[in-house]
Amino acid sequence: MSLQQQPAAVRRRATLSASPIEREIAIRSLVPGDIITLKPGDLIPADIRLIDSENFLVDQSAPDSLPNACLMGAQVIHGTATAVVVGTGPATCLGSEAEDAIAAMLAVSATYFSLLRPACRAATAIICSGLLLSAAPAHAQEGVSLYGTVDTGIGWTRVSGGDHLTGALSGGQADSLWGLRGSEGLANGFTASFALESGFDPSTGSLEDEDRLFNYAAWIGIGHDELGEFRLGRQHAIGQRFGDELEIASWADFGLGALFKASDNYQLSNTISYLSPELSGFQAGLSYSFNANDGEHFQTSRNARALSAGLRYDDGPLYATLTYDRMQPGHDGVHGSRSAQAWQLGASYDFEVIKLAAGWSRQSNGFVGLNGGDTTTDDLSEVGLSGAGPMEFVQGGRVDAWFLGASLPLGPGRALAQWSIANPDWTWRSTGERAKKVQTYSLGYVYDLSPRTSVYAFAAGGRNFSLDDTFTARNPTVSRIAAGLTHHF
């Protein structure tokens, strides 16, 4: 979809006394003063100034002399925003740059420039029109862009029965990473794209995964606005991509993924995925990993395989999703091991005065993301289930989990509150006691210094919750207080 074909979501009044109504209009119909809303994947249709934003990130930044501004043609990578249009068409920075370039080429001398001024204006109009109407791919601008996030702070953490820890905290609000993203428009409306993304610890400068440079993403894909998109390589499962959008408070170790492990920030290698085109707000997705645990067996069936499917609805203030994940162990299975499964169902709604989110998850026979700590045995590691959780969980256990979250604009920033509870159904073999309910809870505040930089502070805790393994028979209590700084580039 080209920039001029993309509709703009604008809020306008039918009459002066009527309430604003959000509707989609053609970009050419935008005028300065219009209020527009933006979501991930949108190309910014005009020069704008942000009114309100939440975790908002674009692939091109405006000059420092234009705070809280975004320029026409940039793409929304993450988050949502409400903005006012300040310039359209030739009156944008893109249009003015084209005019300046043409004027410089034609200004051979003052005499000739005065004679050629009408031609300059005509040429400027032609080139500006070409820039606005050129067929740019919807998923990203052509070329390669460098992007990333740096997040670090100071935290105090205490675990019951042990000492407390005070020191640098990496990724307090968002994971620190850097990446390369690129795309190329192909014939017949197709677009080729790729992403390479690496996590790191800004406190030490070390890679998050010492054995893998691009641990967060390493994929190549091809897509079409009317046919959808295929990706091949290391990437998130569909369930993770859809479920993660429900998260309100992403505090390190206490976000949605603390108990909703299918929505935690995990990736699968050797994966192919498909995302359907959006239809009236609905979108479906499917992904499959042929070797989810990077197993060394030549035969595919001897390595762990992962299936993920999801459906989501994203239109205006409402977001809803239903996902299913399945992690199947290698066929040389250990007695009692089964395929780990996870269902997730959730929704969020932005009332403007407050955003609310709620969800439910059922996880069976272990964690589908193999992200539950190293509590499984060597035998289970052989069939690709290392990190699936405690043996009591892997061999027939089940966990039902619920969460509630709220984001409230408060003063110059926003207050974030989130609570989750999980109810395991097994009995610990080491103690003979039934596993207790696990809770996590947090309260924090984020203040945006600019569209790309924010400061934050939060307090969080967990009851019967292990930072490393989630569920343990020790039933520890965890507390954390932290503050830090996040910058996107």
Side-chain angles (χ1 to χ4, degrees), residues 133-154:
L133 302 179
S134 61
H139 302 290
Q141 293 178 316
E142 291 197 16
V144 177
S145 59
L146 171 69
Y147 65 95
T149 299
V150 183
D151 182 316
T152 192
I154 300 295

Side-chain angles (χ1 to χ4, degrees), residues 378-465:
D378 292 337
D379 289 337
L380 286 175
S381 299
E382 287 295 318
V383 294
L385 292 182
S386 177
M391 287 296 297
E392 293 85 349
F393 185 18
V394 173
Q395 296 181 324
R398 189 181 73 191
V399 176
D400 285 329
W402 299 264
F403 98 96
L404 296 172
S407 175
L408 176 68
L410 186 62
R414 59 190 183 278
L416 307 176
Q418 193 162 277
W419 169 82
S420 299
I421 187 170
N423 184 21
D425 71 347
W426 60 81
T427 298
W428 294 111
R429 297 171 186 172
S430 59
T431 64
E433 297 181 352
R434 182 178 175 83
K436 295 182 179 181
K437 294 180 180 178
V438 175
Q439 294 187 58
T440 62
Y441 37 85
S442 64
L443 180 64
Y445 188 78
V446 178
Y447 177 74
D448 293 322
L449 300 175
S450 75
R452 295 185 292 139
T453 304
S454 62
V455 292
Y456 61 86
F458 71 92
R463 180 176 298 176
N464 306 319
F465 172 65

Side-chain angles (χ1 to χ4, degrees), residues 87-98:
T88 61
T92 63
C93 287
L94 183 61
S96 63
E97 288 175 2

Side-chain angles (χ1 to χ4, degrees), residues 156-225:
W156 175 87
T157 305
R158 182 182 183 278
V159 179
S160 61
D163 296 330
H164 67 270
L165 173 67
T166 303
L169 177 67
S170 177
Q173 179 183 204
D175 292 313
S176 293
L177 58 91
W178 69 273
L180 296 170
R181 179 188 293 109
S183 69
E184 179 186 20
L186 306 176
N188 301 317
F190 285 91
T191 301
S193 58
F194 77 92
L196 303 170
E197 198 170 283
S198 177
F200 65 94
D201 184 345
S203 302
T204 62
S206 60
L207 292 174
E208 184 175 292
D209 187 342
E210 295 181 356
D211 298 325
R212 198 189 317 263
L213 175 59
F214 297 113
N215 59 320
Y216 280 176
W219 57 261
I220 187 170
I222 187 167
H224 191 285
D225 290 324

Side-chain angles (χ1 to χ4, degrees), residues 66 80 82 132 153 188 211 248 291 415 427 450 452 484:
L66 300 174
T80 58
T82 302
L132 292 173
N188 301 317
D211 298 325
I248 294 290
N291 186 354
T427 298
S450 75
R452 295 185 292 139

Side-chain angles (χ1 to χ4, degrees), residues 74 93 125 301 334 365 413 447:
C93 287
S301 61
V334 178
N365 310 319
Y447 177 74

Side-chain angles (χ1 to χ4, degrees), residues 89-317:
T92 63
C93 287
L94 183 61
S96 63
E97 288 175 2
E99 184 171 351
D100 291 343
I102 294 170
M105 289 187 293
L106 295 178
V108 178
S109 67
T111 302
Y112 286 105
F113 180 73
S114 62
L115 294 174
L116 294 174
R117 186 180 296 274
C120 176
R121 290 175 176 172
T124 299
I126 293 172
I127 289 183
C128 285
S129 298
L131 290 171
L132 292 173
L133 302 179
S134 61
H139 302 290
Q141 293 178 316
E142 291 197 16
V144 177
S145 59
L146 171 69
Y147 65 95
T149 299
V150 183
D151 182 316
T152 192
I154 300 295
W156 175 87
T157 305
R158 182 182 183 278
V159 179
S160 61
D163 296 330
H164 67 270
L165 173 67
T166 303
L169 177 67
S170 177
Q173 179 183 204
D175 292 313
S176 293
L177 58 91
W178 69 273
L180 296 170
R181 179 188 293 109
S183 69
E184 179 186 20
L186 306 176
N188 301 317
F190 285 91
T191 301
S193 58
F194 77 92
L196 303 170
E197 198 170 283
S198 177
F200 65 94
D201 184 345
S203 302
T204 62
S206 60
L207 292 174
E208 184 175 292
D209 187 342
E210 295 181 356
D211 298 325
R212 198 189 317 263
L213 175 59
F214 297 113
N215 59 320
Y216 280 176
W219 57 261
I220 187 170
I222 187 167
H224 191 285
D225 290 324
E226 298 179 357
L227 301 176
E229 181 186 35
F230 283 95
R231 294 180 180 178
L232 298 95
R234 184 171 176 82
Q235 56 191 290
H236 289 108
I238 291 296
Q240 193 281 338
R241 292 167 66 178
F242 286 12
D244 181 64
E245 295 295 328
L246 296 168
E247 185 171 58
I248 294 290
S250 56
W251 310 125
D253 301 317
F254 295 91
L256 176 64
L259 299 182
F260 280 59
K261 303 298 282 188
S263 289
D264 200 9
N265 185 25
Y266 74 95
Q267 303 78 25
L268 297 174
S269 297
N270 312 296
T271 299
I272 181 171
S273 69
Y274 170 72
L275 272 178
S276 74
E278 290 189 16
L279 180 62
S280 300
F282 286 95
Q283 186 175 42
L286 181 69
S287 65
Y288 184 80
S289 174
F290 299 93
N291 186 354
N293 65 313
D294 294 323
E296 299 179 354
H297 299 294
F298 177 78
Q299 187 175 347
T300 301
S301 61
R302 297 186 65 187
N303 298 308
R305 288 141 289 149
L307 172 70
S308 183
L311 177 68
R312 65 181 174 187
Y313 177 80
D314 189 4
D315 189 14

